[in-house]
Amino acid sequence: MKVEVPYLVFEVNGKEYMIDAHFSRKLERIERVSTLIRPIDRTLSKTAEAPLPILLQKNEIEGFLKNLFVEVYERSGEKLNKRLAHMRKWNILRLIGIPTGFSRHVEKDEQLAKENREAMLSLAILRKILGVKTPTELDKIKIVPKEYLYYRIELKNREIFNEKGEKDGIYTQLLEIDGGFRHALLSMI
């Protein structure tokens, strides 16, 4: 099944990018939204026969991206603090000889490390696109919405391909790991 995904083109600091204007509102983890921001692709169509609904309007883009940055900035610190607290507690219990279940702690640490990496990657993407390091700098930038373009994707054998027949790694990964994306996509079928 083929789906036409609306992308909102925006300009920030003299550079143009585009963000998925449908699935960016459907993901279950906010850290994953930044993966739906891409450099502009002028080969995409400006029209669509049966596009997905636009859930991110032009007048919302500036607030949406600035709020996203603030949320991801805060979560990246929280994830790291959670992981460090878990490691400290586990090491103290281990040092005083209290058995706590080694594999359980390793699994929890791996999960916390994965969440921390995801938050830090998201923050790095947003810092590069917005050109800011901290939320206090957000007042200095202006995000200008431009137009909508449509990206055609197709689901084949649990993988997502674009209209050129190339596998889209971002959407395929989201299909695997994000329940909100998976539900939104599969409900279209």
Side-chain angles (χ1 to χ4, degrees):
M1 182 194 112
K2 293 182 182 179
V3 175
E4 295 169 307
V5 182
Y7 267 80
L8 175 55
V9 177
F10 65 94
E11 182 181 330
V12 62
N13 300 325
K15 295 182 182 175
E16 289 185 322
Y17 298 94
M18 55 187 205
I19 183 170
D20 181 321
H22 179 78
F23 292 114
S24 60
R25 297 279 197 178
K26 298 285 187 175
L27 300 182
E28 68 184 5
R29 296 198 39 163
I30 197 163
E31 298 93 332
R32 295 176 181 154
V33 173
S34 63
T35 63
L36 296 177
I37 303 172
R38 301 171 184 240
I40 189 162
D41 182 352
R42 289 280 177 209
T43 65
L44 296 180
S45 175
K46 291 184 179 189
T47 61
E49 294 174 19
L52 295 176
I54 294 172
L55 302 179
L56 180 58
Q57 302 299 321
K58 287 181 181 181
N59 63 346
E60 299 172 318
I61 187 68
E62 184 167 5
F64 180 79
L65 289 174
K66 287 180 178 183
N67 289 337
L68 176 65
F69 183 86
V70 170
E71 185 72 24
V72 169
Y73 184 85
E74 290 172 357
R75 285 189 183 203
S76 64
E78 288 172 13
K79 298 293 182 188
L80 180 60
N81 289 341
K82 227 184 223 185
R83 182 173 183 221
L84 292 175
H86 174 259
M87 290 169 63
R88 278 192 295 270
K89 181 179 174 186
W90 178 30
N91 281 334
I92 289 170
L93 293 173
R94 190 173 52 93
L95 286 173
I96 59 176
I98 298 174
T100 60
F102 178 77
S103 62
R104 179 174 53 94
H105 288 290
V106 169
E107 288 173 18
K108 183 170 182 174
D109 185 54
E110 286 174 0
Q111 179 62 33
L112 290 171
K114 180 181 172 189
E115 290 174 6
N116 181 247
R117 280 191 308 271
E118 194 171 35
M120 294 304 291
L121 175 62
S122 179
L123 183 60
I125 291 169
L126 291 170
R127 281 179 167 162
K128 179 169 177 24
I129 290 168
L130 299 177
V132 296
K133 299 264 185 224
T134 64
T136 58
E137 300 172 49
L138 288 173
D139 292 339
K140 299 174 187 173
I141 64 168
K142 179 77 174 141
I143 301 169
V144 181
K146 299 279 188 155
E147 63 185 328
Y148 289 99
L149 298 176
Y150 294 91
Y151 182 59
R152 290 176 182 85
I153 59 173
E154 184 174 8
L155 176 64
K156 296 179 189 174
N157 300 324
R158 306 288 298 166
E159 294 184 326
I160 297 177
F161 295 86
N162 64 21
E163 60 189 279
K164 297 172 189 168
E166 301 163 339
K167 180 180 171 183
D168 188 303
I170 299 293
Y171 281 129
T172 299
Q173 182 72 13
L174 286 173
L175 182 64
E176 183 180 318
I177 66 170
D178 194 283
F181 177 81
R182 187 172 39 257
H183 175 72
L185 180 67
L186 297 178
S187 68
M188 302 292 166
I189 298 176

